[in-house]
Amino acid sequence: MLFSAIIHKEDYIYVAECVEVGTVSQGLSIEEAVENLKESTELYLEEFPLEKPSKTYLTSFELEYA
């Protein structure tokens, strides 16, 4: 099954979130954050299996910010 991850940097670590499941993990590199996210998502799904896969949509929006 294919999952999506959103990754952002906080200070010196990368934080990765699985959009479909809601699991979050971190790492010192993007690759490490994604590997840790895969592991945490797999463990989560063992306890809480998905009944029906959800479709993920990605969009962007503009905001005036001062």
Side-chain angles (χ1 to χ4, degrees), residues 1-64:
M1 204 171 164
L2 184 64
F3 292 97
S4 305
I6 295 177
I7 303 165
H8 68 275
K9 190 169 185 181
E10 290 184 9
D11 296 324
Y12 60 91
I13 61 168
Y14 290 91
V15 178
E17 178 181 357
C18 177
V19 178
E20 294 82 3
V21 180
T23 48
V24 179
S25 196
Q26 63 188 25
L28 295 176
S29 67
I30 292 173
E31 294 79 11
E32 182 181 22
V34 171
E35 282 301 314
N36 291 339
L37 180 63
K38 288 164 83 173
E39 182 180 343
S40 66
T41 302
E42 186 174 46
L43 291 171
Y44 178 86
L45 290 174
E46 286 176 7
E47 285 291 318
F48 307 100
L50 290 178
E51 292 179 16
K52 178 179 158 190
S54 64
K55 183 145 176 97
T56 301
Y57 299 94
L58 175 64
T59 188
S60 59
F61 60 93
E62 191 170 333
L63 185 67
E64 288 191 35

